[in-house]
Amino acid sequence: MDTDARFVRIVLTDTVNVNRVRVVPMLRFRHKVLTKGIGLTPALLGLPPQFDAVYSGAPVGEVTMLPDPSTIRVLPYRNKHALIFGDLLLPKESPAAAAATTQAFPLDRYVFPLDPRALLKHAIHMLQQDFGLCAKAGFESEFILLEKDAKTPVDNDVYADMNAFRNHRVSETLDCMVNSIEDMDIAVEHFHPESASGQYEIVTGYTDLLRAVDDLVMTRIVIKEVAQQVGGFHATFAPKVFADQAGTASHVHLSLWNVSGKGDQNAYCAPSTLPSSFDAVKDVMTGTVSVGMHHFMAGVLQNLPALMALTAPTTMSFERIKPSYWCGAYQIWGVQNREAPIRVSHDGSHVEYKPLDGTANPYLALAGILFAGMAGMRQQAKLPAPVQVDPHTLSKEKRAELQIVRLPERVQQAQQLLEENAVLRSGFGDVMMDNFLAVRGKEAEYFDGLAADEARKVMIARY
């Protein structure tokens, strides 16, 4: 491990997408922690974002966080610190270890069954084992830069407005963010001002799904730390900072690839007959979409109302998802339709999933999407006709005729649907699913009891 770093931050992204950390001096890390791991309380996976109170589980027992050497990166803006992700393991002699061979984690009996990163690994494994496919992804990281009071936006510019770069502090901060992300071996495709006041977006490049999610978590860490260290700003990924402006999302662009000895082939663009439900949009399609991908998308669309509890998991998440705000408020799909929660690209090479934001644990969110898509492939689920307009502009009668329905409008609705969803419960396993619902359910109750301004203040501080 060739690095001049003096300290290693071992990071766990918990159930509610708070990055929990242990910082270890490099000498001890090399000699012990790298191979033996470090102990943690399993209660970390039962904590809400707003304060330290165990909402699920008990403060009893211990798990081992074992660093994954493939993920280590030095922080360029603080080069004495390195960052690495850890996997959670049960002690081999633990009674719980013998019971950990659930349907959720058949690969390793000692995996702690509440580990979000392990769940995504399992979903990726199942995709390859059952379908001969691997997933690749890239993310849009939207965020808002506020002055250090965590209230005042750094500008009031509009979408993609060049004027946003007149502010020297903002420009220097963004430059340092992008340079740091690239120095950590994470590809940056582009960045630009977004719609809300002080809002920006950094788009990270396509890569294998686990690496892409790891890159996303690292990118967010860089954005928040560089914002404060370089510009004196507070960066937030909270989904709805300003009630009367666009929200903040983390759209994922996802594709599936055939895995074979001849090299990878994009399963979206495999030469095949276009499914009949694509006929209405042949004029905007320049590629073809395989039947297998048709079924995958159908599975995601069918399970979307329940999936939203994983991908838009907070009360504030549902303040963002409103009609005609380009975030996907209806259960539809479309080609290049930015009002569709599931948007197929113009060339059919990938799909964009829009109801995802920075309060969601991305490992759990993407695992859920994979489980839903795989269920669609197993069932050979069928897509309805695509919707190529903003569905909110249609009359209620026309929407009823086309069977276009609103997605859940409150997080509790989505949580109830998730609790009842057999596809996602089977993928997650009872232990993981019940823990998630307990933590997020009690969190939603707490935030529903707060005044709007106080809830917003807490979310901006935490996310």
Side-chain angles (χ1 to χ4, degrees):
M1 194 168 296
D2 186 17
T3 174
D4 293 328
R6 298 292 302 277
F7 304 96
V8 182
R9 304 183 194 179
I10 311 172
V11 176
L12 162 70
T13 305
D14 74 3
T15 305
V16 297
N17 201 37
V18 173
N19 290 318
R20 310 286 178 172
V21 66
R22 289 285 189 272
V23 184
V24 180
M26 180 59 79
L27 187 62
R28 179 172 175 79
F29 179 81
R30 290 179 188 274
H31 290 172
K32 184 174 182 180
V33 175
L34 178 60
T35 56
K36 301 295 185 181
I38 190 168
L40 288 178
T41 171
L44 279 179
L45 280 302
L47 298 178
Q50 68 272 22
F51 44 55
D52 291 336
V54 180
Y55 276 179
S56 177
V60 177
E62 187 164 286
V63 294
T64 298
M65 183 160 62
L66 185 68
D68 179 348
S70 70
T71 66
I72 192 164
R73 305 281 190 281
V74 174
L75 297 172
Y77 51 88
R78 196 170 184 186
N79 60 14
K80 295 301 180 185
H81 281 238
L83 196 68
I84 194 169
F85 294 115
D87 296 318
L88 299 184
L89 304 177
L90 292 162
K92 293 184 179 181
E93 66 277 7
S94 164
T101 51
T102 66
Q103 73 271 29
F105 299 108
L107 298 179
D108 186 339
R109 68 182 297 171
Y110 304 116
V111 168
F112 182 52
L114 299 183
D115 183 351
R117 193 165 179 266
L119 181 69
L120 180 57
K121 287 181 180 180
H122 168 61
I124 291 169
H125 172 80
M126 295 304 296
L127 182 66
Q128 180 166 348
Q129 176 179 277
D130 293 357
F131 300 100
L133 297 171
C134 69
K136 297 187 179 184
F139 289 90
E140 302 173 15
S141 291
E142 295 180 352
F143 57 96
I144 288 180
L145 288 178
L146 303 171
E147 297 291 354
K148 60 184 177 181
D149 63 2
K151 296 178 181 179
T152 309
V154 298
D155 60 54
N156 292 295
D157 297 310
V158 293
Y159 176 78
D161 186 354
M162 178 73 81
N163 287 327
F165 295 102
R166 294 177 302 178
N167 186 319
H168 179 72
R169 279 199 304 149
V170 170
S171 292
E172 287 293 308
T173 301
L174 292 169
D175 288 352
C176 186
M177 287 176 183
V178 173
N179 288 338
S180 296
I181 293 166
E182 289 186 322
D183 286 347
M184 294 171 70
D185 196 29
I186 299 171
V188 175
E189 294 193 353
H190 62 265
F191 64 103
H192 63 271
E194 264 290 349
S195 180
S197 296
Q199 190 178 49
Y200 293 85
E201 175 180 299
I202 297 175
V203 180
T204 46
Y206 237 61
T207 188
D208 291 339
L209 182 55
L210 181 63
R211 169 66 188 267
V213 177
D214 287 344
D215 287 353
L216 173 67
V217 176
M218 289 188 178
T219 295
R220 290 172 175 172
I221 290 170
V222 170
I223 287 170
K224 291 185 79 71
E225 294 191 4
V226 169
Q228 185 170 32
Q229 292 182 25
V230 175
F233 301 128
H234 179 85
T236 180
F237 299 97
K240 193 72 169 178
V241 173
F242 305 113
D244 58 346
Q245 297 187 36
T248 298
S250 185
H251 303 160
V252 58
H253 297 257
L254 183 69
S255 61
L256 300 187
W257 294 65
N258 295 310
V259 179
S260 68
K262 300 177 182 179
D264 294 346
Q265 181 184 35
N266 189 317
Y268 276 93
C269 297
S272 62
T273 303
L274 214 60
S276 60
S277 58
F278 284 79
D279 289 352
V281 290
K282 278 184 177 179
D283 57 329
V284 298
M285 294 293 289
T286 58
T288 58
V289 179
S290 73
V291 172
M293 289 314 307
H294 175 101
H295 299 321
F296 183 91
M297 290 168 56
V300 175
L301 185 64
Q302 288 176 4
N303 291 280
L304 182 56
L307 269 175
M308 289 177 69
L310 298 167
T311 65
T314 62
T315 298
M316 184 182 273
S317 298
F318 284 79
E319 295 173 17
R320 181 184 78 85
I321 300 174
K322 302 296 183 184
S324 303
Y325 270 82
W326 288 22
C327 51
Y330 289 86
Q331 193 175 0
I332 63 169
W333 73 278
V335 175
Q336 290 295 67
N337 182 359
R338 285 170 170 77
E339 277 299 324
I342 299 173
R343 177 180 74 91
V344 175
S345 63
H346 71 283
D347 61 358
S349 64
H350 68 272
V351 64
E352 178 185 25
Y353 181 95
K354 298 174 76 71
L356 176 65
D357 65 53
T359 65
N361 178 304
Y363 299 101
L364 298 181
L366 269 296
I369 291 171
L370 289 191
F371 287 133
M374 285 189 284
M377 295 170 76
R378 291 188 184 96
Q379 299 162 5
Q380 296 191 331
K382 303 296 184 183
L383 281 170
V387 176
Q388 294 301 103
V389 299
D390 177 354
H392 200 61
T393 63
L394 303 175
S395 66
K396 291 182 179 180
E397 292 75 19
K398 187 63 175 178
R399 288 198 296 269
E401 176 189 335
L402 297 174
Q403 297 183 316
I404 296 173
V405 298
R406 272 295 301 270
L407 289 165
E409 297 182 52
R410 300 182 72 245
V411 68
Q412 288 90 344
Q413 290 177 273
Q415 289 170 350
Q416 182 62 40
L417 292 169
L418 177 61
E419 185 171 16
E420 299 166 355
N421 187 286
V423 166
L424 296 173
R425 181 170 285 276
S426 174
F428 274 52
D430 288 338
V431 175
M432 175 75 87
M433 183 59 71
D434 290 344
N435 180 75
F436 178 88
L437 289 167
V439 176
R440 285 300 198 180
K442 292 178 181 178
E443 173 198 333
E445 291 177 12
Y446 174 83
F447 278 99
D448 277 357
L450 290 184
D453 288 347
E454 182 61 24
R456 188 166 286 109
K457 179 180 177 181
V458 173
M459 293 295 285
I460 288 172
R462 188 62 65 236
Y463 295 105

